[in-house]
Amino acid sequence: MNPRAAIALLGLSALGMVPAQAAPAKSAPAATAPAAKGSLPAAVQNAIDKGDYAAVREALVNELKSMKIAPDNKQALNLSMALEVVDCTSPQVLTDFAKVKDQAAFLKAFMADPDWQEIYLGCGLVPYHTDWGVKVLYGVWKEEGGDVKNKPLACALASVWGGGETWKDPAIQRKDPSKYNPVRRYKYFQRQAAKNVLFPGYKRLKAWELRFVVGIPGQDWDDESYEWAFKHINMPWDQYGWACWSATYTDPSKFGDSVQSGEYNLPYTSESWAEATQRNGGVCGALSHFGTVAAMAHGIPAYTVGQPGHCAYAVRVKRGEWTGGFGGPDGGMHNHIFGNQAPTSYRLMEAVYGNDTAIARAYRHSFCARALAATGQDKEAVAMWKEALRISPMHPFFRSALHKLFIKGGMKPDECFKYLMDALPSYKGHGVAATNMMDDLKDSISAMDDGSKLQLFSAIHKSLAGTPASWAVKCEDVIAKQSEMLQNDGAKLELLTEAFAAYMSNGDGTLFGQILEWAVKTYVQAGKDEVFNKAFAAASRKAAGTTAAGVDAKERTKKMSQAYGKAIIAAEQARSAPAFQALSEAAMKACPPDDVKPVKLTKTPAGNLAKAVLFRISTTCGFDSPVAHAGILTPNGGKCHTEREARPNMIVELADKATVTGCVVRKVPGNDWRMKKATIATSTDGATWFDQETTQDMPSEWMVQFKPGTTAKWVRIEFENAQPEFAHISHFLIYTK
């Protein structure tokens, strides 16, 4: 569907609305309602009644020490969850919170409700060492008279406003509470759900999914925007990826103000963000937020996402399937659980939370694992964490907690190696997450022998190579750090070989390009092209005959050509003949240029065709075809294309200094007028040049006969232009005696 067709579906109205006022405060319910009395041991309950949560923690630990801590022991599980609520919030924060009578009453109810705690602790980012989470839950509890009817929704709001251990200070916390109110947001969704006007899948959403409905922690819009968007932006459920186009892409505003000026939305300051954007327009950020809020207002999970130089968004009408709006879903999520960099964001999140039964079991094991550690049973805690990870192997928070216990226990290098090699197969398609989870154990990895490191590092590159393409996936930093950790040059050579082979055989060519650029910079440009060539040749043999699975062949060929092209240009600039030859040969097999046709020359100088080992071009541009540069040195021909220059040139390097008899240069057909005045020169040292012949009007095919006895290792053609101009040739052949 095109944007204009999408706009036609909207039926927009320009009617304004008066922003909703904050709901009047309600009196607190009785402290004892509605949680069941006696559900906690007396010592724990007494400490709660006193509002002393350091004592609550101590009592919980003492109780847990006296029982078997396991998910199948309901009492132990419930106390483990209560302990985790105290620890993740912190005893001091809860003690301070309980100094207010109404808040103390809420905490009594919450601490006695294990079902609510389980939802709260398992909904993604649990507010960490702050009162934000319990403050939001308290607000909903008070609004509902002590009987919270939608606890998953309340927990989702607490998580969005509260942040978490990996995101302690989301921007929504600093927003004006009269316009960004979690309780008002709760009431909005409850009201719409009761009228049965939200997305049909809304009522099936779990708390972690509702996080992507109730707000945007990083860059939220006001409550009134949700109300306005619900009334004025109504589309088929699967079309909200087009909702952004209900506003016009506009900069500057109708009054000439830049979107960066702070005055863009004047004079409509009383409007909601959504209405102001629909009226005034905006750039990618405003339109993506508009589309996101339009989806969320209808109960559809959505998020805004940052990309290089752009803001996009994503929506989800089916579990596991985020679809793009304005260029999403890939990028840095403004609402996330495990991190905002794709693909560790939405793909990992869906993989971890996709099975409701499994993730619930895994979380119950995690509660018990933390309780075991709190009671000093580290060995048992390690076993419990391993069981949680057997059920949900890619949960990064679980891995991190286990790794802390490993480090505390002094994990040995051989134990670390076995653990990581056993864990890595579970990360198929999630190479970035696999790489990140190893960071905690870098000291143990550093202490391994090179053989173990190589096996581990090779497995990481294979995992990255099998990860879906994303601009956020990078392998250069990974191999750079790995290479530094290896002790000898032979191991570094083998690492480069394994990495080359992994990316030659898998993926869409993006990571292959990254590894090529890194290797050329690290080895070729540093004068170590023999290392590069050995690794590249060995990897080519390993990857011979393999076909990358699951990627578009045409797109892969295009990206492989781009990757080889950048590397070939870099090899030329580094004047590395071996790298130029190896890359060119491999490129012609992997991605032969389709715009170069063999051409037979009409005449050649006397002598034999010299063995040329390197072709260099003064500049390159988008019209260039570096993969075809090597063909320029053969009778079949190739192609090159400089940028506009006053004196563009091409240089051929021979295998050895020789007595040269002449050369022939042929232009790429078309636009011959660009290359008129030209000079052929020779050199024996690559620095001092001797002109051999100059023409004021170079023909399409120019043969030059050198003076007898001319010796050279380098031959150059240079064009001279009154104004900067392109140059492009298909042949540059040198002949020797």
Side-chain angles (χ1 to χ4, degrees):
M1 180 184 292
N2 62 48
R4 290 179 182 271
I7 292 170
L9 291 172
L10 302 178
L12 298 175
S13 168
L15 294 176
M17 293 180 64
V18 178
Q21 300 300 311
K26 295 190 176 183
S27 57
T32 56
K37 292 287 286 183
S39 58
L40 291 169
V44 177
Q45 189 64 56
N46 288 339
I48 291 174
D49 291 342
K50 293 176 182 178
D52 183 349
Y53 280 83
V56 171
R57 187 185 191 280
E58 182 180 359
L60 285 167
V61 170
N62 288 335
E63 292 289 340
L64 285 163
K65 284 180 178 178
S66 67
M67 62 183 69
K68 176 189 175 184
I69 301 174
D72 58 0
N73 182 338
K74 188 172 183 179
Q75 184 182 18
L77 175 63
N78 291 349
L79 294 181
S80 297
M81 289 190 292
L83 177 61
E84 185 154 355
V85 168
V86 174
D87 282 346
C88 74
T89 310
S90 95
Q92 187 60 56
V93 168
L94 288 174
T95 298
D96 291 342
F97 191 80
K99 290 177 181 178
V100 177
K101 183 179 179 181
D102 289 355
Q103 294 174 178
F106 157 71
L107 286 179
K108 288 181 183 181
F110 184 53
M111 294 299 292
D113 191 336
D115 293 338
W116 196 0
Q117 293 170 39
E118 184 170 11
I119 297 169
Y120 180 65
L121 294 171
C123 77
L125 284 173
V126 179
Y128 183 77
H129 286 192
T130 173
D131 64 348
W132 270 101
V134 293
K135 183 167 67 175
V136 172
L137 294 182
Y138 161 69
V140 174
W141 176 82
K142 186 173 182 178
E143 176 67 30
E144 297 242 86
D147 184 14
V148 178
K149 297 176 179 61
N150 193 334
K151 290 173 180 174
L153 179 61
C155 290
L157 285 157
S159 181
V160 164
W161 255 263
E165 186 172 0
T166 58
W167 193 5
K168 298 179 182 179
D169 187 29
I172 198 171
Q173 293 179 358
R174 299 185 294 278
K175 299 282 189 177
D176 181 353
S178 70
K179 296 181 179 179
Y180 301 80
N181 188 301
V183 176
R184 189 158 57 238
R185 207 74 62 90
Y186 175 90
K187 291 171 63 180
Y188 166 81
F189 284 105
Q190 283 292 85
R191 183 174 68 252
Q192 303 295 59
K195 292 188 291 187
N196 203 32
V197 293
L198 294 177
F199 169 57
Y202 169 81
K203 291 183 179 180
R204 296 192 299 272
L205 297 177
K206 300 297 183 181
W208 71 271
E209 295 169 295
L210 287 167
R211 293 181 81 260
F212 298 91
V213 173
V214 299
I216 309 172
Q219 300 179 11
D220 196 44
W221 273 8
D222 54 296
D223 303 330
E224 187 61 25
S225 287
Y226 289 76
E227 299 274 4
W228 186 93
F230 179 83
K231 289 185 177 181
H232 300 287
I233 312 299
N234 292 286
M235 307 177 68
W237 301 121
D238 62 350
Q239 294 297 313
Y240 278 88
W242 293 97
C244 58
W245 296 111
S246 62
T248 305
Y249 193 100
T250 306
D251 188 27
S253 73
K254 300 169 186 176
F255 301 97
D257 295 313
S258 166
V259 75
Q260 306 291 342
S261 68
E263 300 177 346
Y264 184 90
N265 284 306
L266 296 177
Y268 307 110
T269 53
S270 64
E271 297 174 337
S272 68
W273 276 107
E275 185 174 2
T277 300
Q278 195 275 327
R279 180 196 295 272
N280 303 335
V283 295
C284 57
L287 269 61
S288 290
H289 278 77
F290 189 97
T292 300
V293 170
M296 294 165 70
H298 289 83
I300 300 172
Y303 62 77
T304 49
V305 54
Q307 298 175 347
H310 180 59
C311 181
Y313 73 107
V315 296
R316 193 192 77 164
V317 295
K318 184 178 180 182
R319 178 171 280 197
E321 296 182 11
W322 291 93
T323 58
F326 215 165
D330 193 18
M333 302 167 71
H334 298 153
N335 186 354
H336 60 82
I337 293 176
F338 298 140
N340 73 337
Q341 287 299 307
T344 57
S345 51
Y346 72 97
R347 287 195 182 107
L348 180 62
M349 178 179 70
E350 292 287 347
V352 169
Y353 284 95
N355 184 313
D356 294 338
T357 302
I359 193 61
R361 287 179 56 229
Y363 262 108
R364 290 181 178 185
H365 281 80
S366 79
F367 305 145
C368 293
R370 293 190 201 277
L372 285 164
T375 56
Q377 302 176 72
D378 285 0
K379 182 178 179 181
E380 292 79 4
V382 166
M384 191 67 71
W385 277 122
K386 287 182 176 179
E387 182 59 20
L389 285 162
R390 185 191 66 78
I391 302 167
S392 181
M394 289 191 293
H395 199 305
F397 298 164
F398 294 178
R399 286 278 173 202
S400 181
L402 175 59
H403 294 172
K404 288 176 182 176
L405 288 174
F406 282 159
I407 294 167
K408 180 182 177 182
M411 177 179 246
K412 297 177 181 178
D414 59 333
E415 295 171 335
C416 182
F417 173 75
K418 184 179 186 308
Y419 162 74
L420 290 174
M421 291 302 290
D422 287 344
L424 283 174
S426 299
Y427 285 82
K428 184 177 181 180
H430 296 273
V432 176
T435 304
N436 291 344
M437 73 94 174
M438 294 172 59
D439 287 346
D440 297 334
L441 302 175
K442 57 181 179 295
D443 290 342
S444 293
I445 295 171
S446 294
M448 294 178 190
D449 60 79
D450 275 2
S452 296
K453 289 177 187 174
L454 279 170
Q455 288 186 61
L456 193 59
F457 296 165
S458 176
I460 281 293
H461 287 292
K462 289 176 182 176
S463 183
L464 282 171
T467 297
S470 165
W471 63 266
V473 181
K474 308 292 183 186
C475 63
E476 312 103 307
D477 291 344
V478 174
I479 194 170
K481 291 176 182 177
Q482 291 174 343
S483 188
E484 289 177 1
M485 294 174 73
L486 294 171
Q487 301 300 313
N488 63 74
D489 291 341
K492 293 181 180 183
L493 171 64
E494 190 171 343
L495 171 64
L496 183 58
T497 301
E498 292 296 323
F500 271 149
Y503 300 120
M504 282 181 183
S505 306
N506 296 281
D508 69 347
T510 301
L511 296 184
F512 177 66
Q514 292 179 14
I515 208 75
L516 265 183
E517 288 189 61
W518 178 84
V520 168
K521 180 180 178 180
T522 303
Y523 291 102
V524 176
Q525 294 178 350
K528 300 178 181 178
D529 48 8
E530 73 283 356
V531 177
F532 175 91
N533 275 21
K534 285 181 181 178
F536 193 82
S540 297
R541 290 192 294 271
K542 276 178 174 260
T546 60
T547 302
V551 296
D552 181 82
K554 186 176 181 180
E555 183 65 19
R556 174 177 165 83
T557 299
K558 177 183 175 182
K559 289 190 175 181
M560 292 289 281
S561 179
Q562 292 171 345
Y564 274 116
K566 289 180 180 179
I568 288 168
I569 292 294
E572 293 176 13
Q573 293 172 343
R575 304 187 183 189
S576 172
F580 172 80
Q581 293 168 26
L583 289 164
S584 297
E585 181 181 355
M588 287 301 292
K589 293 177 181 177
C591 46
D594 56 10
D595 59 346
V596 177
K597 306 299 180 185
V599 176
K600 187 174 182 179
L601 297 171
T602 59
K603 52 185 177 180
T604 58
N608 301 309
L609 181 63
K611 181 181 179 182
V613 293
L614 177 63
F615 175 86
R616 281 192 280 139
I617 186 172
S618 55
T619 57
T620 186
C621 71
F623 301 110
D624 194 14
S625 182
V627 170
H629 282 191
I632 293 170
L633 308 176
T634 71
N636 280 339
K639 178 183 176 183
C640 73
H641 202 300
T642 71
E643 187 53 271
R644 283 191 171 93
E645 293 184 74
R647 303 180 75 91
N649 68 77
M650 298 90 176
I651 299 173
V652 175
E653 180 179 340
L654 304 181
D656 299 292
K657 184 169 68 173
T659 300
V660 290
T661 59
C663 69
V664 60
V665 183
R666 185 177 185 274
K667 299 176 182 178
V668 172
N671 297 307
D672 284 7
W673 55 268
R674 289 171 171 164
M675 297 161 285
K676 291 296 184 180
K677 185 176 181 180
T679 298
I680 296 291
T682 58
S683 175
T684 56
D685 60 7
T688 306
W689 294 91
F690 300 94
D691 291 350
Q692 297 299 328
E693 188 166 329
T694 297
T695 177
Q696 298 296 324
D697 189 9
M698 177 182 167
S700 294
E701 187 176 305
W702 185 28
M703 187 190 75
V704 176
Q705 197 79 44
F706 298 155
K707 297 175 183 177
T710 300
T711 59
K713 183 173 169 59
W714 292 271
V715 182
R716 179 183 72 191
I717 182 169
E718 184 172 67
F719 300 95
E720 186 175 343
N721 304 306
Q723 298 293 330
E725 193 47 81
F726 297 111
H728 34 87
I729 64 172
S730 63
H731 293 74
F732 195 173
L733 307 181
I734 316 301
Y735 291 81
T736 60
K737 186 174 179 181

